[in-house]
Amino acid sequence: MLVIEAAGDGASSYETVFDGSAKYGPEADRSGEADHPDDIRRIDAEPYITINGYVGDGGSDSYYVTGYYGSLENKGDVPLKVYYDGELCMTVEPHSSDSCTP
């Protein structure tokens, strides 16, 4: 399970990449249920899955993922904490990107 958490007050959109599979977890924002729905995509013939999401005001998103975790780009104004299988993998500052190997 991948959990992306807004670390403090504020909001952030993000993009993260995997080379396995991904499904929405219980905290993911689904289309029709949220102002900023999360989006899981695999482009034809690409080996990677891209997740675009939005987290605000100390909230979190979650996903069931398999495969190798690539990187996360934080496009907002609050740090993002990234947990992989319950362990803190990294903290990504606003307007930067990082990766970790769980």
Side-chain angles (χ1 to χ4, degrees), residues 4 12 15 21 25-26 30 57 59 64 73 87-88 92 95:
I4 300 170
S12 185
E15 178 177 289
S21 66
R30 289 162 175 81
D57 297 328
Y64 297 108
E73 180 182 359
E87 298 207 16
L88 181 64
V92 183
H95 305 288

Side-chain angles (χ1 to χ4, degrees), residues 8-43:
D9 295 333
S12 185
S13 61
Y14 59 85
E15 178 177 289
T16 186
V17 178
F18 281 82
D19 74 349
S21 66
K23 298 187 298 185
Y24 295 111
E27 286 85 24
D29 300 319
R30 289 162 175 81
S31 182
E33 299 175 2
D35 291 336
H36 302 281
D38 301 331
D39 182 41
I40 299 172
R41 293 180 186 215
R42 181 189 297 274
I43 299 171

Side-chain angles (χ1 to χ4, degrees), residues 1 9 15 25 29 32 37 46 50-51 57 60 69 73 79 84 91-92 94 102:
M1 167 96 49
D9 295 333
E15 178 177 289
D29 300 319
E46 289 288 327
T50 300
I51 299 171
D57 297 328
S60 63
Y69 177 69
E73 180 182 359
Y84 197 83
T91 300
V92 183

